Amino acid sequence: MSVLPGQLAPSPRLLLGPGPSDAHPRVLTAMTTPLLGHLDPQFLQIMTETQELLRQAFRTQNRLTIPVSATGTAGMETCLVNLLEPGDRAVIGTIGYFGKRMVEIARRTGAEVTVLEAEWGNILDINRIRETLKAVRPKVLGLVHAETSTGALQPMEEVGKLAHETDTLLVVDAVTSLACTPLEVDQWAFDATFSCSQKGLGCPPGLAPVTFSERAIAALKGRKTPVQSWYLDLSLIESYWGGDRAYHHTAPISMIYALREGLRIVQEEGLENRWARHLRNQKALRAGLLALGLQYTAVEGHQMPQLHAVRLPSGVDDVAGRKLLLSEFGIEIGGGLGDLKGKAWRIGMMGYNSEPKNVLLLLAALESVLSRAGVKLTPGAGVAAAESAYAAG
Ligand SMILES: *Cc1c(COP(=O)(O)O)cnc(C)c1O
């Protein structure tokens, strides 16, 4: 293919970091189809379809289910600024970097925030959550389901019921869990849930799917003060996505095309099959990484399938190692965040990318990078361990 001077020609990459992960080719094709106006009847139909597909992916009947026009963090901000007012009490659980971000955003609403902290790599114990809710009686409890900074998956099945006993709204960061690991918004009684387009859904970054329960909508309607952010005010956004299609902001048309296609692919595969695919590839990648002598930052039994955070062996330079992976193999992985900066690598196997060929390629490339950094390894050990995990089923 000939390239004009200055024409964009990014090198081929395999995006195996914490996001973005590669977009499905069908998603990229959908994005190149012609624009429609944001109030065109055909586009309104596409919006309705996208909302229905989003409900299926979230496993919810929530009518207020929309993609916010910005990245996952805007989803976090949307949930918190719509539910919290100055003086409200909030409890935010932090098991890593993204929990801390939630604390920061909650504080900026003027809420009184109680931080419930677990050590990085660990999860929050349900009894501690119960005791804190009883002691604080907050309006909102915020938790991160899949903490991408440590690779830990917080068990969420029981929390919603617990929150409702103290009349608390449960806000959940499902940015890295949607379409990767079991996520049951209705069954687990979540009140406000947010995610992103670029991790499990195999789309580019740019949208933040958000879903609000009837309880959360009632809290929004019962506010005494206007939502501090005009752009993220869900009662305004809903009048575009919901009933009267009133102009609020210009929807990012091509991104909605992308999301719709990404969600159609999820629907075709089936959520259960998709979760099972992530688990299968987790087992193999985990076996391979352990065979390379790498240790997980997340505690045993709570490691998520879609993101593997491992400690760097001594003597391996974080930046140099990742540079080599990128320049020689075209593979991107992530470095550590916060407490784990310079100490861990984060490997994503999310959505479209969660495939055996990527697991095997990454293990071979990692072996090469690690052994060049002086780590003593049995040649082929990582790939062999992954192959036997696949063979074992
Ligand atoms: C990626 C991520 C976010 C932030 O999403 P952006 O799209 O980068 O704004 C929030 N929470 C978690 C758990 C994440 O992994």
Side-chain angles (χ1 to χ4, degrees), residues 71-73 76 98 101 144 146-148 173 175-176 196 198-199:
T71 69
T73 306
M76 184 186 285
F98 289 103
R101 180 172 293 185
V144 178
E147 179 47 83
T148 323
D173 178 333
V175 173
T176 301
C196 75
Q198 77 272 21
K199 298 186 188 184

